[in-house]
Amino acid sequence: MKLQCHRSSLAASLQIVSGVVPTRTPKEILRNVKLQVSDGTVTLLATDQEVGIRVKLDGVETDSSGEVLLPTMRVSSILRELTDDTVDIEVSESSICIQSASSRFSLASEDPDEFPDVASFEGDQYFAIPGAALREGINRTVFSTDQESTRYALGGVLLDPGADRITLAATDSRRLAVAAVPCRSEGIEELANPAPVVPAKAMRLIERSISDEDEEIQVAINANDILVRCGQSTIYSRLVEGRFPSYAELITTDNSSIVTVEVDSFHSAVRQAQIVTSEESRGVNFTFRQGQLTLETVAADVGESKIEIPLSFDGEEIAVSFDPRFIIDFLKVLKPESTVSLHLVDGESAAVFCTDDGYTYVVMPLSKDR
Amino acid sequence: MILHVDMDAFYASVEQRDQPQLQGQAVIVGGTPEGRGVVAAANYQARKAGVHSAMPAARAKRLCPEAVFLPSRLDRYAEVSRQIRDIFHRYTPLVEPLSLDEAFLDATGSESLFGSSMEIGQQIKQQIADELQLVASVGVAPNKFLAKLASDLEKPDGFVVVDAGGVQQFLDPLPVARLWGVGRVTGQVFEQLGVETIRNLRQLPQETLRQHFGEQGQHLWQLAHGIDDRQVVPDREAKSVSHETTFAQDIDDLEALRAWVLELTEQVVRRLRRHKLLGRTVQLKVRFSNFQTITRSTTLPQPTNLTQVIWKTADRMLSDRLPANHLPVRLLGVGVSGFDHSDQVQHTLFVDEDLAAQTNLDQAADQIRDKFGSSSIGRGSGLLHQAKHTPQPNPDDLPPSPKR
C-alpha cells in the first residue's frame, strides 16, 4: 500500500485522533492508530474501547487500499519534525516506511486485524446541533464532572433531550453546571435512551473535533452508546452506566437575594483572594453588603488577604465561604464583559449563579463546623 | 540516641493486670475456648507451649489446653496505650508510635534535663512498671533500626543499650534474617551465597548485593553496617499510612494480586479511620521478582478513608498501570497520603447514597473487627485467595523518611 499525504493535515488529524489513544493500557495494541484506505477514502481510527474516533483524511493521493497500524507517538513525532509539504508512506508486510525529500523512517508495525473496530455513523435518527452552541455547552459543563467518583454517572455529562433543545448537566456533588443547546430532531420517533450520560473524555473529544463553528453536529443516541458526526470526524462512545442525579431539583432560588456582578472584576477579585489560600485553609469568605463585596482569606502559616469591589446590592448582609477553584472554573468559561446574577440565601445553602443566556451553575459553600 | 520501647505481651498483660485471678495462668487474647477465630496475643506462658499470634484458636487450644481465652478489648488496650504515651511525653515530644504497644522516641534534646538517653530509657521502663504494673522492653541505640533490634534482643523485660562504638560488635553475630526485608526468598539467596550472619553479609562486596537484590541490595548493605538515618516523627505529623507484604512465593495471577490489594487496603483504611484521617492520594507499590520496584499513585478529588473508594482506586492502578507482561510480583504495598487537615467542610448538593452506605458499612465492619478480631469479617473478594495473614505496617511510612 502506497500513499502520498499532505504532511500538516495528516499531522493535524493524527493529533485529534491521538486524543483517544490510551496512555496507560494493558492492551498494547491500543497505543496505535489505524490507517484505513478503501475506495479512495482514507480514515484514521483510534479507540480505548470506551471511546473511539474515526477521522476522514484530506490531501491524500493513493491508488491502493488496505490497512496499517501506526505507532502513534513515533509517527506524530516524525510528522512534527519534518518540514516538507508532503510525505510518502509505504506499507509492506510488517513495516511502514515514511519518507520525505531528505529523511526516511522505517517502523515496525503490529497486525491491523488485531485492532478493535470503531463503529461508524449510520442511521437517520439523530439530533442536529449548531457547532458553536455545542462547543460552548460542553465547555460550560464538562469541568464539573468527577472522573474518580465511585458513582460512575458523575464521571460524565448528562444529555437531557427536549423538544428543541438538549440540556447538558454535570456535577461532582459539590457543584452543578447546567447549559442548554438548541437542537433539531431528525427522524427520531422514540428516544432509545432518555437520559444518556456521556463520559467526559468523549465530550472533550467532541469539543475538540468541532473545527468549523458553523457546521452542524449530528448526535445519534442509542441505548448503550452514542455516535457523533462533526465534519470529518465520527466519535463513538459507550454511555456511562448508573443514574444521574435529578439535577433540576437542585436548582432552587427560593428566599434568595440577588446580586449582579460583572464577570471580569469578580474573576479578578477571586483570583487575587485565592493567592493566599492553602490546602488546610482553602476557603475564601465572601461578604455581600450594601454597595460592596469583600473577599477575605486567612491561611495559617501563609497570611491573609482582603479584596473589596463595589457592588449594586441593598439587601441584608450575607456572608458565605466558597472554594475559590469552583468559582474560578465557572467564571473562566464566561465572556469577561458579561454579567452574572448570584442567588444567595446564607452561608449554609447552595448559591445559584445564572447568566443571561440560560447557563446555570450551583455551588455548595464551605463551612467551619468540623 | 533513639529509644525503642516495646510492651511485653501487651494485650495479655493488660488482661492479667486487670483481672488478678489470671496471674500465673496461660492467657490467650482473641479467639474463643471453642476454638474459633485467631489468636491476637498470647502471654509468655502460652508462648512456651508454642502458641503465637495469628495462629488459629483451635490449634492454640490443642497446644495449650489449660489456657484462658479472652475476647480482645481494643478500646481498653488503646486507653492503656495512651497512658504509656503520656509517660513518654514527660521526656520528649518526639514520640513515634508504631502500634498500640511500641514506639520510637528521640530524647536527645532532653538529655540535659533528664540525664542520658540510657537513663531516660531506664526511668521510662521503671515508671511504666510502677504506675501501670506493666513490663516494657527497651532498646537504646544510635538509630531506629538498631534500637528496635536491641529492644527485642532480651525480651521479655529486656533493656539493651548499643552505643556508637559497639554497633558492629552488636550486629555481627546476629542471623541475617534479623534484617528488615529479609524474608524467605531473600533468605534462600543468602543461603546460596553462604551468608548466615550479619557479619557475613557485611563482608560481601556491595556489587554482589546489587547484582542479587537490585536497589534493595544497597539498603541491606547499609543495615548490615548499622546505617539508618530515618528520623523519629511524631504521629500527628504522619504524612502517609501504608501497608505492604512480601509474598512467600511470587504471584503472577492478577486475581490473587487483586485480593491482596483489598487485604492491604483494609489494613490501611482501618488505621486511617482509627486516627480519623482522610487522605487524598492513593499509592500502589509493586516489587517484581527481579527486585525492580515501581510505585503508581492517583489523587482523588475528595479526601476519603472509605474502603470501597481506596480499594477501587488501588485496584484500577493494579489493572491498568502496570507494564504489560510484567514479571511475577514479590511485594505489594498500598498507601494513602495527602491528609486533609482542612478546618472547613465542603457541603454537598445531594447525599451520595452510595458513599453514605459505604460509610455505614465501614463503621459496622470496624465495630465487628474491634470486638471479634480483624479476621472476623471481610469482603468476598479478599477471601478468593486466602489473603489472610496480616501484612505489617510499613515501618517506613509514618515519617516522611529517606527511602529504606
Side-chain angles (χ1 to χ4, degrees):
Chain A
M1 188 168 70
K2 268 185 177 175
L3 310 91
Q4 188 176 59
C5 305
H6 186 248
R7 184 190 57 83
S8 61
S9 58
L10 175 61
S13 299
L14 191 64
Q15 206 196 335
I16 294 178
V17 173
S18 62
V20 176
V21 176
T23 44
R24 323 189 267 238
T25 172
K27 217 171 161 181
E28 292 285 335
I29 199 153
L30 300 180
R31 288 182 207 267
N32 295 290
V33 165
K34 183 159 154 179
L35 185 145
Q36 210 172 45
V37 187
S38 67
D39 307 333
T41 312
V42 182
T43 313
L44 288 177
L45 297 93
T47 179
D48 65 1
Q49 296 196 293
E50 189 81 20
V51 178
I53 187 169
R54 34 171 76 229
V55 175
K56 243 190 276 172
L57 270 186
D58 289 329
V60 183
E61 283 175 32
T62 181
D63 297 325
S64 29
S65 64
E67 345 183 280
V68 63
L69 292 185
L70 308 176
T72 316
M73 292 290 284
R74 290 222 157 71
V75 175
S76 300
S77 305
I78 289 169
L79 296 175
R80 202 167 44 238
E81 289 299 328
L82 294 179
T83 50
D84 315 63
D85 281 346
T86 60
V87 289
D88 292 317
I89 299 179
E90 191 174 343
V91 178
S92 66
E93 191 66 8
S94 63
S95 76
I96 317 155
C97 174
I98 301 175
Q99 193 161 4
S100 72
S102 54
S103 311
R104 184 190 142 87
F105 304 87
S106 179
L107 302 172
S109 177
E110 294 179 69
D111 180 3
D113 291 339
E114 302 282 310
F115 198 77
D117 192 31
V118 179
S120 49
F121 196 99
E122 276 154 22
D124 44 12
Q125 296 187 19
Y126 57 85
F127 292 100
I129 305 172
L134 183 58
R135 165 174 283 174
E136 186 180 65
I138 295 172
N139 281 332
R140 286 178 163 191
T141 49
V142 73
F143 66 84
S144 288
T145 56
D146 180 355
Q147 300 312 297
E148 305 295 339
S149 178
T150 46
R151 191 167 168 184
Y152 294 121
L154 303 191
V157 176
L158 172 78
L159 307 189
D160 185 5
D164 54 1
R165 58 184 201 162
I166 294 182
T167 305
L168 276 56
T171 179
D172 61 6
S173 83
R174 294 158 290 171
R175 31 83 181 269
L176 162 76
V178 180
V181 296
C183 73
R184 193 182 76 243
S185 164
E186 281 291 335
I188 299 176
E189 282 154 17
E190 199 180 343
L191 291 170
N193 185 333
V197 179
V198 183
K201 180 177 179 178
M203 291 305 275
R204 291 205 172 89
L205 187 66
I206 295 166
E207 193 272 330
R208 273 201 306 277
S209 303
I210 301 173
S211 49
D212 176 0
E213 298 222 319
D214 292 329
E215 78 191 341
E216 193 177 72
I217 314 301
Q218 297 172 348
V219 178
I221 299 167
N222 303 314
N224 300 310
D225 54 42
I226 183 174
L227 279 154
V228 178
R229 181 151 64 194
C230 17
Q232 301 285 68
S233 309
T234 299
I235 292 144
Y236 162 89
S237 175
R238 281 224 293 263
L239 295 174
V240 180
E241 283 175 32
R243 199 178 60 84
F244 195 85
S246 328
Y247 70 92
E249 291 168 14
L250 301 173
I251 307 170
T252 52
T253 52
D254 299 349
N255 308 320
S256 61
S257 305
I258 301 172
V259 186
T260 304
V261 294
E262 196 232 327
V263 170
D264 198 20
S265 58
F266 190 46
H267 193 180
S268 158
V270 182
R271 282 200 313 262
Q272 289 179 42
Q274 190 189 24
I275 298 169
V276 193
T277 57
S278 63
E279 265 312 315
E280 287 76 32
S281 312
R282 60 186 197 282
V284 173
N285 302 319
F286 294 72
T287 310
F288 298 85
R289 54 170 76 87
Q290 289 196 357
Q292 186 171 284
L293 163 63
T294 310
L295 287 74
E296 286 168 287
T297 62
V298 181
D301 305 330
V302 183
E304 302 179 8
S305 73
K306 183 171 181 178
I307 294 102
E308 293 175 336
I309 53 173
L311 190 74
S312 58
F313 175 60
D314 54 6
E316 292 273 304
E317 179 176 306
I318 298 171
V320 56
S321 201
F322 294 114
D323 187 326
R325 292 173 299 187
F326 294 165
I327 310 293
I328 288 171
D329 282 348
F330 166 69
L331 295 172
K332 222 162 43 182
V333 297
L334 298 179
K335 291 192 183 72
E337 66 278 12
S338 61
T339 57
V340 180
S341 312
L342 279 55
H343 298 255
L344 303 161
V345 180
D346 55 32
E348 302 288 314
S349 312
V352 180
F353 295 22
C354 302
T355 67
D356 296 340
D357 55 353
Y359 172 34
T360 307
Y361 186 66
V362 186
V363 198
M364 288 304 286
L366 288 161
S367 78
K368 285 267 176 200
D369 61 358
R370 191 173 179 108
Chain B
M1 296 285 270
I2 306 295
L3 281 72
H4 181 253
V5 182
D6 194 0
M7 301 303 296
D8 298 333
F10 182 55
Y11 297 177
S13 304
V14 171
E15 295 296 350
Q16 276 183 306
R17 183 199 67 176
D18 287 356
Q19 305 177 56
Q21 73 274 16
L22 296 175
Q23 289 304 333
Q25 300 197 48
V27 174
I28 292 173
V29 176
T32 65
E34 294 75 42
R36 300 178 67 87
V38 175
V39 175
N43 71 355
Y44 286 92
Q45 207 158 329
R47 289 187 204 183
K48 269 183 215 148
V51 177
H52 56 77
S53 53
M55 173 184 279
R59 175 121 188 272
K61 178 85 191 158
R62 276 200 303 278
L63 289 169
C64 190
E66 71 280 10
V68 179
F69 282 79
L70 298 169
S72 90
R73 296 187 295 156
L74 272 187
D75 286 346
R76 176 67 179 146
Y77 313 142
E79 190 187 331
V80 179
S81 178
R82 272 192 297 276
Q83 294 167 343
I84 297 168
R85 218 166 286 177
D86 288 344
I87 295 178
F88 297 158
H89 280 282
R90 292 174 196 163
Y91 295 92
T92 172
L94 293 178
V95 176
E96 180 183 333
L98 293 178
S99 60
L100 289 179
D101 60 353
E102 57 176 320
F104 284 118
L105 286 73
D106 183 347
T108 319
S110 323
E111 291 191 337
S112 55
L113 282 173
F114 302 112
S116 68
S117 289
M118 185 186 88
E119 286 163 327
I120 291 173
Q122 281 165 337
Q123 290 171 46
I124 287 174
K125 187 170 157 63
Q126 195 58 47
Q127 288 181 357
I128 291 173
D130 292 348
E131 297 174 25
L132 304 173
Q133 293 81 49
L134 291 169
V135 182
S137 288
V138 177
V140 184
N143 60 45
K144 282 178 155 182
F145 159 66
L146 294 166
K148 193 165 159 78
L149 280 182
S151 72
D152 195 45
L153 203 65
E154 293 178 6
K155 230 173 178 341
D157 201 13
F159 189 91
V160 174
V161 179
V162 182
D163 54 37
V167 171
Q168 222 57 70
Q169 208 184 335
F170 168 74
L171 279 177
D172 275 356
L174 296 177
V176 73
R178 282 295 185 102
L179 294 182
W180 191 88
V182 177
R184 219 176 62 104
V185 179
T186 320
Q188 280 171 356
V189 178
F190 279 133
E191 215 168 287
Q192 284 161 17
L193 293 170
V195 170
E196 281 173 23
T197 62
I198 295 178
R199 182 201 307 275
N200 302 148
L201 171 57
R202 185 164 61 86
Q203 287 162 346
L204 285 182
Q206 251 177 297
E207 194 42 46
T208 312
L209 286 170
R210 203 169 348 204
Q211 274 167 15
H212 288 280
F213 306 109
E215 269 174 64
Q216 213 202 352
Q218 171 68 15
H219 172 61
L220 290 170
W221 184 87
Q222 286 190 334
L223 290 184
H225 285 77
I227 302 169
D228 174 17
D229 46 15
R230 290 171 303 146
Q231 306 286 311
V232 170
V233 177
D235 207 11
R236 62 192 150 76
E237 290 173 26
K239 294 282 194 288
S240 75
V241 168
S242 65
H243 281 242
E244 58 183 50
T245 190
T246 302
F247 303 119
Q249 246 168 356
D250 297 350
I251 298 183
D252 59 0
D253 174 27
L254 181 65
E255 289 306 315
L257 290 170
R258 294 183 63 194
W260 271 105
V261 166
L262 173 59
E263 175 67 19
L264 291 160
T265 301
E266 294 270 20
Q267 312 279 338
V268 169
V269 292
R270 275 195 84 203
R271 258 171 89 204
L272 289 177
R273 294 198 287 261
R274 204 171 283 158
H275 291 282
K276 303 204 171 12
L277 288 168
L278 300 169
R280 205 175 255 113
T281 303
V282 182
Q283 195 183 60
L284 182 75
K285 174 177 172 185
V286 183
R287 179 171 296 149
F288 299 108
S289 53
N290 63 352
F291 285 87
Q292 185 208 355
T293 308
I294 59 170
T295 57
R296 298 284 179 261
S297 66
T298 301
T299 297
L300 303 168
Q302 295 261 57
T304 185
N305 58 20
L306 289 178
T307 307
Q308 175 82 359
V309 175
I310 290 170
W311 175 39
K312 287 286 173 212
T313 308
D315 187 55
R316 216 179 302 164
M317 290 190 274
L318 180 75
S319 303
D320 297 350
R321 291 180 57 190
L322 297 189
N325 307 320
H326 59 72
L327 289 166
V329 174
R330 170 182 164 74
L331 171 150
L332 201 58
V334 172
V336 172
S337 60
F339 297 137
D340 181 43
H341 299 294
S342 165
D343 48 5
Q344 289 167 314
V345 189
Q346 172 69 54
H347 290 266
T348 52
L349 279 160
F350 43 88
V351 178
D352 188 328
E353 289 133 21
D354 185 45
L355 287 188
Q358 292 297 336
T359 306
N360 289 339
L361 180 64
D362 285 348
Q363 275 172 2
D366 285 352
Q367 283 169 4
I368 291 169
R369 290 196 178 108
D370 284 348
K371 201 155 183 184
F372 300 107
S374 51
S375 57
S376 56
I377 184 168
R379 294 183 188 231
S381 315
L383 291 174
L384 274 174
H385 295 271
Q386 285 88 43
K388 262 196 171 158
H389 90 247
T390 308
Q392 288 302 303
N394 182 352
D396 222 10
D397 56 355
L398 288 170
S401 54
K403 265 189 86 171
R404 56 167 293 175

